[in-house]
């Protein structure tokens, strides 16, 4: 058994006690013990502050509100929602998702009444939180949410293009489109130069080396455009600059009661409350996916958001939601507690009070260019592909068009109505089709939900069966109501009277066979190896397993999978990447219960993350496919680990050269890595202990690559067919628990965003 060393938990604790800086980003000495994450949270708060200032100013401009109202909301959201919210690392403030509705409210009621609507929306959110209504937000179809955000993005971009051209922003998509010809005819080239400069910086910044992109692109773009405007257009009336009309303290104002039209005011409160709540909860889910171990109390999150909106409305700020751009920056900057969100609000307040003159140097065209990019970024190609894959593209497009050409509320309602109609269509639609065989027998396959509405179509197919033919009726259904059952039963009796036979195969038959196998009664249903399968199908003349499998695929599987593959033909949007071993017993899609397009997979000897090929795949997955999570999956009885322990690393041949990359893993194991010691206590042999240490070490290598994706370690115990998850806090592999708050539920973070495939894998494992 390897001996412990300074890598052990005891040694780490001793180092901290001695006054060294804690690993969590704290400060040395007694202050560090009181605030163990102070250093990490302080640096993260500065990063988020730099991101938030230009975005808050731009969102205020797009909303038609006083510009300082964006900074007021940013400060209130940071402090109030940061302290009271249920998502500890989420950052709240003014968000692009509310700009369209706020602009409509300001245009209709004026700013003071809009502040009243914001405060009232906050009160409604508090009621939502107290009533525990957060769970109902999950019932909104993703296609509606994504279509709403895309519609908001298109509306923002259309309005701000007019500003980039030197004109003024309009309210609504139609008005913005109608104004474009006039804006083009009266184009202002200085405004175009500054707006295009910001757009160019935003598009190209992420392609620069990592040492440059530490500074947020939005900040660089605004600072550069402001500097250019001062050098080239100082004092020019062609360049309109931000006008604040006072300091942050001067911007504080109180709401005003409307003189009439209380029904519309109450409707505005409900609309803002619902949209802000849904956006905050969606952002909180995204934060969970980015930061393993972070869990959200959804009801508390609504309480915190409601309190923040109430305060913001009462003192003259914009509506507030959880904001994914700022939250992502917070997580990636290394934040550990809610202190980072609160501190960034303090920096914004100081900036807005002390450096008010700096803000007034910013050209409006530069903010417009920033808003154009914000709008474009809300239209995500991955959301389009996902909607198409799940057959929900019409819902997405209807919502998008409704938001752009009508208004936000009507667009969302259009999407929900269409989603309901499509659900009803799927519920009543069956797909019976009859196939006649060469020997005169027939097979009738009935798919879908079969209700009384499907009886006419079912009757037409049944009546086309030749008299006296032997018929197999295969029910691939999830619902069969009494009317359809009665019709099928009556037809069966009539057909058998003509001399034919009717065999009905129902879904229960398959379940019964599986249950019989589980009980040891008969052969039952299970996964067969190629050899077993070939023996079963020997009468078909199959001689070579691979070719026989290909033939069976085309005969039995191709038509079933073809619609899915057709939807994926033009691109992929996987929700996770998996690096696992090339061992033939490790089947990534089987153990994650995922389907085509769900998991971007790399298999190599020993599931190493450091080879050139794997590094290229990681770069492609994270930069081109935007995969948010990378998993490394080791397994028991790994031949690569056996070879590593036997000294195969560095020997002649490609395998020896490849295993050289794993020598640090062996050294870590031999010097007492905590994961290996925990595996020994759990009864795993030394080969499996090394395989588990290997997974932990590969995660560290992936973090060092700074890909931006979160990482997760898995271990497949082949003998028991269990998948274990690495609890990095406890430094041991644990079973997946049914408790959704347990560490094993890390697989949910891979699954988030996909309705089936990997999501089903996570849920199936959690249900074991």
């Amino acid at each position: 058994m390897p001996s412990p060393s300074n890598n052990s938990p005891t040694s780490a604790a001793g180092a901290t006690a001695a006054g060294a800086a804690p690993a969590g980003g704290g400060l040395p000495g007694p202050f560090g013990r009181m605030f163990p994450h102070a250093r990490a949270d302080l640096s993260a708060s500065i990063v988020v502050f730099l991101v938030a200032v230009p975005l808050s100013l731009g969102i205020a401009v797009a909303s038609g509100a006083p510009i300082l109202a964006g900074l007021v909301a940013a400060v209130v959201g940071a402090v109030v929602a940061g302290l009271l919210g249920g998502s500890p690392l989420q950052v709240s403030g003014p968000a692009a998702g509310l700009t369209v509705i706020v602009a409509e409210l300001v245009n209709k009621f004026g700013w003071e009444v809009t502040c009243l609507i914001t405060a009232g929306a906050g009160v409604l959110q508090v009621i939502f939180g107290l009533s525990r209504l957060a769970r109902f937000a999950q019932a909104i179809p993703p296609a509606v949410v994504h279509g709403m955000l895309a519609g908001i993005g298109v509306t923002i971009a259309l309005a701000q293009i007019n500003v980039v051209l030197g004109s003024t922003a309009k309210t609504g998509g139609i008005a913005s489109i109608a104004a474009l010809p006039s804006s083009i005819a009266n184009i202002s080239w200085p405004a175009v130069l500054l707006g295009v400069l910001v757009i160019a910086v935003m598009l190209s910044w992420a392609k620069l080396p990592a040492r440059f992109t530490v500074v947020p692109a939005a900040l660089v773009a605004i600072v550069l455009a402001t500097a250019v405007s001062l050098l080239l257009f100082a004092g020019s009336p062609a360049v309109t600059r931000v006008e604040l009309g006072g300091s942050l303290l001067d911007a504080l104002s109180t709401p005003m009661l409307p003189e009439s039209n209380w029904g519309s005011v109450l409707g505005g409160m409900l609309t803002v409350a619902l949209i802000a709540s849904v956006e905050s909860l969606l952002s909180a889910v995204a934060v969970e996916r980015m930061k393993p171990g972070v869990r959200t109390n959804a009801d508390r999150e609504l309480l915190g958001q409601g309190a923040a909106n109430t305060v913001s409305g009462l003192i003259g700020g914009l509506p507030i939601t959880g904001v994914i751009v700022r939250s992502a920056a917070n997580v990636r900057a290394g934040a550990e507690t809610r202190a980072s969100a609160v501190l960034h609000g303090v920096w914004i307040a100081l900036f807005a009070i002390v450096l008010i003159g700096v803000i007034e140097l910013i050209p409006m065209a530069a903010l417009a260019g920033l808003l154009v990019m914000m709008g474009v970024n809300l239209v995500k190609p991955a959301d389009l592909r996902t909607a198409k894959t799940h057959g929900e593209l019409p819902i997405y497009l209807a919502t998008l068009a409704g938001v752009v050409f009508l208004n936000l509320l009507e667009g969302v309602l259009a999407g929900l109505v269409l989603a309901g109609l499509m659900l009803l269509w799927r519920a009543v639609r069956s797909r019976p089709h009859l196939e006649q065989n060469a020997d005169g027998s027939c097979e009738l396959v009935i798919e879908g939900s079969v209700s009384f509405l499907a009886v006419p179509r079912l009757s037409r197919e049944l009546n086309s069966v030749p008299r006296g033919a032997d018929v197999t009726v295969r029910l691939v259904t999830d619902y069969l109501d009494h009317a359809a059952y009665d019709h099928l039963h009556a037809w069966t009796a009539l057909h058998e009277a003509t001399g034919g036979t009717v065999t009905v195969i129902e879904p229960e038959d398959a379940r019964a066979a599986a249950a019989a196998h589980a009980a040891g009664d008969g052969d039952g249903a299970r996964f067969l190896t190629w050899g077993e399968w070939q023996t079963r199908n020997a009468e078909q003349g199959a001689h070579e397993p691979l070719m026989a499998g290909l033939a069976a695929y085309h005969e039995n599987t191709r038509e079933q999978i073809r619609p899915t593959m057709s939807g994926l033909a033009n691109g992929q949007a996987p929700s996770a990447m998996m690096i696992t071993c090339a061992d033939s017993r490790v089947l990534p899609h089987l153990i994650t219960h995922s389907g085509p397009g769900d998991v971007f997979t790399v298999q190599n000897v020993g599931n190493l993350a450091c080879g050139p090929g794997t590094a290229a795949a990681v770069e492609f997955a994270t930069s081109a496919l935007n995969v948010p999570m990378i998993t490394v999956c080791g397994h028991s009885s790994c031949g690569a680990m056996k070879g590593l322990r036997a000294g195969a690393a560095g020997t002649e041949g490609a395998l020896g050269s490849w295993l050289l990359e794993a020598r640090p893993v062996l050294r870590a194991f031999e010097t007492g890595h905590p994961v290996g010691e925990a595996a020994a206590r759990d009864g795993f042999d030394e080969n499996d202990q090394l395989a588990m240490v290997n997974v932990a070490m590969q995660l560290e290598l992936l973090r060092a690559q700074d890909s931006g994706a979160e990482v997760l370690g898995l271990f497949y115990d082949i003998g028991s067919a269990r998948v274990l998850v690495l609890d990095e806090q406890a430094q041991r592999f644990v079973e997946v628990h049914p408790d959704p708050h347990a560490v094993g539920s890390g697989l949910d973070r891979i699954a988030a965003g996909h309705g089936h495939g990997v999501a089903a894998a996570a849920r199936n494992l959690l249900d074991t």
Side-chain angles (χ1 to χ4, degrees):
M1 184 69 197
S3 58
S5 73
N6 290 335
N7 290 329
S8 68
T10 305
S11 299
T16 302
L27 300 174
F31 188 82
R33 289 193 291 273
M34 293 174 61
F35 304 99
H37 305 296
R39 183 178 297 166
D41 289 335
L42 179 62
S43 61
S45 72
I46 295 172
V47 171
V48 180
F49 156 69
L50 296 175
V51 172
V53 169
L55 296 183
S56 299
L57 294 172
I59 289 166
V61 170
S63 301
I67 294 180
L68 282 175
L71 297 181
V72 171
V75 174
V76 173
V79 177
V80 179
L83 289 173
L84 303 180
S87 180
L89 297 185
Q90 175 156 267
V91 180
S92 299
L98 283 169
T99 53
V100 172
I101 189 65
V102 174
E104 292 175 354
L105 293 173
V106 172
N107 188 55
K108 184 174 183 179
F109 299 109
W111 173 241
E112 289 79 8
V113 176
T114 301
C115 290
L116 176 70
I117 292 173
T118 299
V123 173
L124 287 177
Q125 286 183 286
V126 171
I127 295 173
F128 293 165
L130 294 174
S131 304
R132 301 186 179 277
L133 296 179
R135 62 187 182 276
F136 291 106
Q138 301 172 357
I140 300 176
V144 173
V145 176
H146 296 153
M148 177 193 75
L149 293 174
I152 291 169
V154 171
T155 305
I156 293 173
L158 289 172
Q160 297 305 314
I161 285 174
N162 284 290
V163 181
V164 170
L165 295 173
S167 183
T168 57
K170 308 299 179 184
T171 301
I174 294 178
S176 298
I177 294 172
L180 281 175
S182 175
S183 299
I184 294 172
N186 300 287
I187 192 169
S188 170
W189 290 110
V192 171
L193 172 64
L194 297 174
V196 170
L197 177 61
V198 170
I199 293 172
V201 171
M202 295 290 290
L203 288 173
S204 60
W205 194 248
K207 299 177 182 178
L208 297 177
R211 62 179 179 275
F212 295 109
T213 57
V214 171
V215 183
L219 179 68
V220 173
I222 294 298
V223 170
L224 181 60
T226 302
V228 170
S229 73
L230 293 173
L231 287 173
L232 301 182
F233 310 112
S236 172
V239 177
T240 304
R241 301 186 188 275
V242 171
E243 295 182 7
L244 299 178
S247 69
L248 182 66
L249 298 177
D250 297 326
L252 301 180
S253 61
T254 56
M256 180 183 295
L257 296 176
E259 296 179 359
S260 61
N261 208 3
W262 272 98
S264 297
V265 169
L266 294 175
M269 291 178 181
L270 182 60
T271 301
V272 172
L274 290 173
I275 295 172
S277 299
V278 170
E279 188 167 353
S280 295
L281 294 175
L282 289 174
S283 176
V285 169
V287 171
E288 287 186 1
R289 289 163 54 187
M290 288 185 288
K291 184 75 171 180
V294 172
R295 308 303 294 176
T296 298
N297 183 324
D299 294 310
R300 178 180 170 181
E301 180 63 20
L302 291 187
L303 289 172
Q305 295 293 333
N309 271 315
T310 302
V311 174
S312 183
L314 290 176
I315 64 175
L318 285 170
I320 290 165
T321 74
V323 189
I324 186 55
V325 174
R326 276 164 255 185
S327 301
N330 192 39
V331 172
R332 289 169 182 164
E336 295 289 344
T337 71
R338 60 181 73 241
S340 60
V342 176
L343 280 173
H344 108 275
V346 175
W347 310 145
I348 293 174
L350 292 174
F351 172 80
I353 293 172
V354 177
L355 299 175
I356 197 72
V358 175
I359 299 176
E360 292 183 323
L361 297 175
I362 300 174
M364 294 294 291
L367 288 179
L370 176 63
L371 286 165
V372 168
M373 288 307 303
M374 287 173 59
V376 170
N377 288 335
L378 287 175
V379 185
K380 300 182 184 299
D383 293 341
L384 265 168
R385 291 194 295 268
T386 300
K388 183 179 179 182
T389 300
H390 295 293
E392 295 181 340
L393 186 59
I395 300 173
Y396 178 96
L397 295 176
T399 307
L400 187 157
V403 171
V404 173
F405 296 111
L406 298 172
N407 58 49
L408 190 141
L409 183 59
E410 292 176 1
V412 171
L413 287 176
L416 290 173
V417 168
L418 183 57
L421 291 175
M422 290 182 67
L423 176 63
L424 179 63
W425 169 249
R426 289 167 179 166
V428 303
R429 177 176 171 237
S430 69
R431 297 180 295 278
H433 54 275
L434 182 68
E435 299 176 0
Q436 298 192 24
N437 302 321
D439 60 0
S441 63
C442 300
E443 180 173 11
L444 177 65
V445 180
I446 306 174
E447 300 176 283
S449 298
V450 187
S451 69
F452 66 95
L453 295 173
V455 168
R457 185 173 179 180
L458 175 62
S459 178
R460 184 171 64 248
E461 293 292 332
L462 291 173
N463 291 336
S464 64
V465 176
R467 291 170 59 86
D470 295 332
V471 182
T472 299
V473 178
R474 191 179 301 276
L475 296 176
V476 190
T477 60
D478 50 25
Y479 176 72
L480 183 72
D481 79 353
H482 183 263
Y485 168 80
D486 188 66
H487 185 81
L488 183 60
H489 183 72
W491 175 86
T492 299
L494 290 173
H495 185 74
E496 289 178 341
T498 67
T501 62
V502 178
T503 302
V504 180
I505 300 177
E506 302 182 63
E508 280 298 325
D509 295 338
R511 285 194 286 269
H517 174 69
D521 182 13
D523 198 21
R526 67 185 183 91
F527 289 103
L528 302 178
T529 66
W530 254 341
E532 293 171 319
W533 173 78
Q534 188 178 14
T535 301
R536 285 283 188 88
N537 296 276
E539 67 274 9
Q540 299 178 5
H543 296 292
E544 208 285 318
L546 178 61
M547 296 307 297
L550 292 174
Y553 162 79
H554 282 90
E555 180 180 355
N556 303 322
T557 309
R558 176 178 172 270
E559 284 304 312
Q560 297 180 35
I561 201 175
R562 186 170 57 82
T564 299
M565 301 312 298
S566 176
L568 293 168
N570 295 322
Q572 57 176 322
S575 56
M577 176 183 185
M578 177 174 281
I579 302 172
T580 188
C581 191
D583 193 295
S584 63
R585 300 165 294 178
V586 179
L587 306 175
H589 291 289
L590 178 64
I591 65 176
T592 60
H593 203 162
S594 55
D598 285 336
V599 183
F600 186 76
T601 306
V602 172
Q603 291 186 263
N604 60 47
V605 176
N607 45 271
L608 304 184
C610 49
T614 309
V618 170
E619 180 180 342
F620 178 75
T622 54
S623 60
L625 302 180
N626 296 317
V627 169
M629 172 72 75
I630 304 175
T631 66
V632 177
C633 182
H635 67 96
S636 60
S637 303
C638 180
M641 297 301 103
K642 291 179 182 177
L644 188 62
R645 292 182 61 228
T651 58
E652 291 186 7
L655 181 60
S657 299
W658 174 258
L659 289 178
L660 276 175
E661 302 288 349
R663 272 185 171 172
V665 176
L666 183 61
R667 286 195 294 271
F669 170 70
E670 290 174 343
T671 54
H673 194 283
V675 168
E677 294 176 345
R681 292 193 297 270
D682 291 337
F684 290 94
D685 63 28
E686 290 200 357
N687 198 72
D688 291 352
Q689 294 168 30
L690 178 60
M692 290 181 173
V693 171
N694 181 41
V695 171
M697 296 289 287
Q698 300 309 314
L699 297 186
E700 294 303 317
L701 287 172
L702 287 171
R703 288 194 179 95
Q705 293 179 27
D706 195 22
S707 65
E710 292 301 324
V711 295
L712 182 70
L714 305 176
F715 183 82
Y716 184 40
D717 185 20
I718 293 174
S720 65
R722 295 180 303 163
V723 179
L724 307 178
V725 182
L726 178 59
D727 180 346
E728 295 198 72
Q729 184 173 3
Q731 288 287 282
R732 63 185 290 258
F733 282 86
V734 298
E735 293 193 26
V736 178
H737 300 289
D739 176 8
H741 298 291
V743 66
S745 62
L747 282 179
D748 262 345
R749 295 190 295 273
I750 310 174
H754 274 244
H756 46 252
V758 185
R763 185 53 51 209
N764 287 348
L765 286 172
L766 289 174
D767 288 342
T768 56

